[in-house]
Amino acid sequence: SMDAAGMYQRSERARGLMRRTLLGADVVTACSRQTLDEAADFLGRRWPQRAEVIYNGVSTAEIRSATSYEHPRPYLLAIG
C-alpha cells in the first residue's frame, strides 16, 4: 500500500504535500502498477502520459555467485 501507516488519512498537511508533489511532477514513477494506481486514486485522476512503472531490478548473476551466510538461527528478511 502506498500509505500503509495511514499518514495521509491522519494528516491534512501530508495530503496537501503529496497532492502538490504529484501535480507538479513532470513524470510520476512507481515500483508497481498497484502503487501507481493507488497514487492516481489518491489524486483522483489518471495520468497516462506522465506515469511509468519501473520495477525493482535484480541481478540473478549476483545472487548465483554470492557466498551464502550461515546464520545461527532461522530468520526472515523483508525489505520494502
Side-chain angles (χ1 to χ4, degrees):
S1 171
M2 182 183 95
D3 188 19
M7 179 176 72
Y8 300 110
Q9 288 141 4
R10 292 191 319 268
S11 171
E12 185 175 333
R13 184 174 184 185
R15 283 191 304 275
L17 178 60
M18 176 63 87
R19 187 170 302 283
R20 285 189 304 277
T21 300
L22 290 171
L23 289 172
D26 292 328
V27 176
V28 177
T29 64
C31 63
S32 71
R33 171 59 53 193
Q34 178 179 341
T35 301
L36 194 58
D37 288 346
E38 287 178 9
D41 290 345
F42 172 84
L43 192 58
R45 67 173 73 164
R46 299 289 173 196
W47 41 52
Q49 302 298 323
R50 300 180 359 173
E52 186 173 348
V53 175
I54 301 175
Y55 296 101
N56 295 329
V58 174
S59 171
T60 57
E62 284 184 36
I63 294 170
R64 280 192 296 270
S65 65
T67 304
S68 63
Y69 173 74
E70 295 297 325
H71 196 277
R73 298 183 322 186
Y75 68 95
L76 173 67
L77 173 65
I79 301 174

